[in-house]
């Protein structure tokens, strides 16, 4: 099955005596093993582990593992990357959106902590602007030197906030969360089925208080969005 179907899946097949754990050959989706004194926990995100559960490892891309439910012994039955009969390139292709958008900041997957990843993106954004948009970079430097109090950085809630805070901190600007997200709004905006619903979602999801409107009046605002798929959020 692993040789036949490329991606994207993680499967846990449980019977009375045994559990099979299968991850696609590219490792598109995360799959993590945790353990405490009484049980093994298999999850897509380590942030769901309780305090008494330690993160053991990630299941390897292209692997098939067999767990004995009674003894909790794990046998690694197959690994696509080690199969000499399989030809072609055997590279991992982790989904970038998992780290940008889907996974929670406390999660560590594929030896990468999501919060640290997003902090690094804030630093990388400064580096990219400096290398590829020198005029914009010089403009930002002049703002920092001459108009620091009039500049506010804000991240688009909620998964864009860490990157924006990192950008502001490393560039030396003030961070202000003047764009807020309604706590009871459940949807991921970009994943809705048509553009009309996605645009409506932006109007329902985000708001700015009257106090924040006064605070940002006549200020220079830098918005950091974590993912621009269609542009609906940033336009709104």
């Amino acid at each position: 099955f692993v040789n036949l179907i490329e991606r994207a899946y993680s499967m846990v097949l449980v019977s009375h005596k045994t559990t099979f754990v299968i991850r696609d050959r590219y490792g598109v989706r995360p799959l993590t093993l945790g353990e405490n004194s009484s049980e093994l926990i298999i999850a897509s995100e380590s942030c769901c582990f309780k305090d008494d559960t330690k993160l053991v490892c990630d299941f390897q891309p292209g692997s098939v593992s067999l767990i004995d439910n009674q003894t909790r012994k794990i046998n690694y039955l197959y690994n696509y990357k080690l199969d000499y009969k399989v030809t072609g390139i055997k590279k991992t292709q982790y989904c970038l959106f998992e780290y940008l958008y889907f996974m929670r900041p406390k999660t560590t997957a594929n030896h990468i902590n999501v919060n640290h990843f997003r902090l690094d993106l804030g630093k990388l954004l400064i580096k990219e602007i400096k290398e590829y948009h020198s005029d914009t970079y010089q403009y930002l430097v002049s703002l920092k030197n001459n108009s620091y109090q009039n500049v506010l950085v804000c991240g688009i809630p909620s998964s864009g906030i860490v990157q924006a805070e990192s950008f502001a901190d490393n560039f030396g600007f003030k961070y202000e969360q003047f764009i807020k997200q309604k706590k009871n709004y459940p949807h991921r905006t970009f994943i809705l089925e048509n553009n009309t619903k996605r645009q409506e979602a932006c109007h329902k999801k985000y708001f700015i208080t009257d106090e924040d409107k006064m605070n940002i009046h006549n200020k220079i605002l830098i918005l950091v969005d974590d993912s621009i798929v269609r542009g609906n959020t940033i336009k709104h």
Side-chain angles (χ1 to χ4, degrees):
F1 184 87
V2 172
N3 293 343
L4 184 67
I5 308 297
E6 287 189 350
R7 56 188 154 185
Y9 58 84
S10 294
M11 294 191 293
V12 181
L13 311 177
V14 184
S15 71
H16 179 65
K17 294 183 178 180
T18 58
T19 298
F20 285 93
V21 183
I22 308 165
R23 190 176 179 191
D24 78 59
R25 69 178 83 164
Y26 292 111
V28 178
R29 303 285 175 231
L31 191 63
T32 303
L33 176 67
E35 184 178 22
N36 58 34
S37 59
S38 61
E39 59 189 353
L40 297 175
I41 300 96
I42 301 163
S44 58
E45 292 198 49
S46 62
C47 67
C48 76
F49 294 160
K50 298 176 182 178
D51 292 339
D52 65 343
T53 302
K54 69 174 183 177
L55 174 62
V56 177
C57 65
D58 298 288
F59 287 95
Q60 292 303 301
S63 67
V64 179
S65 305
L66 175 64
I67 301 174
D68 185 307
N69 294 347
Q70 300 301 317
T71 65
R72 292 191 287 165
K73 182 179 180 182
I74 302 175
N75 292 310
Y76 298 99
L77 300 183
Y78 177 75
N79 192 317
Y80 175 82
K81 304 199 178 309
L82 303 177
D83 191 339
Y84 69 93
K85 294 177 288 187
V86 177
T87 58
I89 299 173
K90 303 177 182 180
K91 291 183 178 179
T92 54
Q93 295 185 16
Y94 304 137
C95 177
L96 184 62
F97 258 71
E98 292 283 353
Y99 294 93
L100 284 172
Y101 200 69
F102 287 120
M103 287 194 287
R104 293 172 182 261
K106 289 184 179 180
T107 289
T108 296
N110 305 309
H111 306 288
I112 301 169
N113 177 265
V114 175
N115 192 64
H116 293 165
F117 179 88
R118 293 177 182 176
L119 287 171
D120 287 342
L121 285 181
K123 300 175 186 177
L124 184 62
L125 181 57
I126 297 173
K127 184 171 180 279
E128 292 267 316
I129 294 172
K130 185 176 182 180
E131 290 184 4
Y132 298 106
H133 305 278
S134 58
D135 290 345
T136 301
Y137 181 78
Q138 292 304 321
Y139 172 65
L140 292 174
V141 170
S142 69
L143 289 178
K144 177 185 174 183
N145 294 335
N146 302 316
S147 308
Y148 169 78
Q149 295 299 326
N150 290 321
V151 180
L152 295 175
V153 177
C154 180
I156 304 299
S158 59
S159 49
I161 292 175
V162 176
Q163 295 94 310
E165 289 176 333
S166 176
F167 174 86
D169 184 54
N170 285 281
F171 214 115
F173 289 126
K174 183 180 179 182
Y175 186 88
E176 190 77 40
Q177 193 61 51
F178 53 83
I179 297 177
K180 296 180 172 66
Q181 177 180 331
K182 294 179 181 177
K183 291 183 179 180
N184 60 349
Y185 189 80
H187 302 300
R188 293 288 198 173
T189 320
F190 88 99
I191 214 165
L192 296 172
E193 61 266 33
N194 61 60
N195 213 42
T196 300
K197 287 190 176 182
R198 288 187 285 267
Q199 290 171 343
E200 289 175 354
C202 290
H203 289 273
K204 295 176 182 177
K205 186 175 184 178
Y206 306 109
F207 70 99
I208 302 177
T209 65
D210 290 338
E211 183 181 352
D212 284 327
K213 287 178 183 177
M214 293 179 62
N215 189 36
I216 66 176
H217 186 63
N218 286 334
K219 298 281 175 59
I220 297 168
L221 309 177
I222 300 173
L223 302 183
V224 179
D225 198 353
D226 57 331
S227 57
I228 304 174
V229 179
R230 299 175 181 89
N232 288 325
T233 301
I234 204 75
K235 286 174 186 174
H236 171 67

